[in-house]
Amino acid sequence: ARAEELRRDGQTVVFVAVDGKAAGLVGVADPIKTTTPDAVAQLRAAGVRVVMLTGDSRTTAEAVAKQLGITEVVAEVLPEQKVETVRKLK
């Protein structure tokens, strides 16, 4: 439950184990640059389709996308799958 709460806040969750047993979790997030929301808005105003493509969990990705006004999210994509995903989106 705590992990999902952190994800809904836009954080990536890292689980911590000690001697092979769960000991806790840590939420990590990259801050959104102050200029990013305006940049996304300008792209959309110019007719550019804005899609968030990320390896993060769907919950985390949607939380960040919501803050940026991005409505199209493709999450949980492995690095080796990203090129093919971009091709499919074109």
Side-chain angles (χ1 to χ4, degrees):
R2 178 68 178 136
E4 274 306 299
E5 182 181 323
L6 292 171
R7 288 182 184 117
R8 282 191 302 273
D9 191 38
Q11 298 183 46
T12 297
V13 177
V14 179
F15 293 93
V16 180
V18 176
D19 296 326
K21 295 181 182 179
L25 53 88
V26 176
V28 181
D30 291 325
I32 296 172
K33 293 180 183 178
T34 58
T35 56
T36 302
D38 186 49
V40 170
Q42 287 182 34
L43 286 168
R44 280 225 281 347
V48 175
R49 176 182 176 197
V50 178
V51 179
M52 176 181 283
L53 172 62
T54 181
D56 285 332
S57 76
R58 173 149 304 280
T59 304
T60 300
E62 288 178 352
V64 173
K66 184 176 181 180
Q67 293 176 51
L68 295 172
I70 298 172
T71 57
E72 199 170 347
V73 178
V74 181
E76 301 174 359
V77 180
L78 297 174
E80 59 271 14
Q81 297 170 323
K82 288 185 178 178
V83 170
E84 183 58 30
T85 302
V86 169
R87 284 190 186 120
K88 288 178 183 177
L89 289 168
K90 284 185 172 182

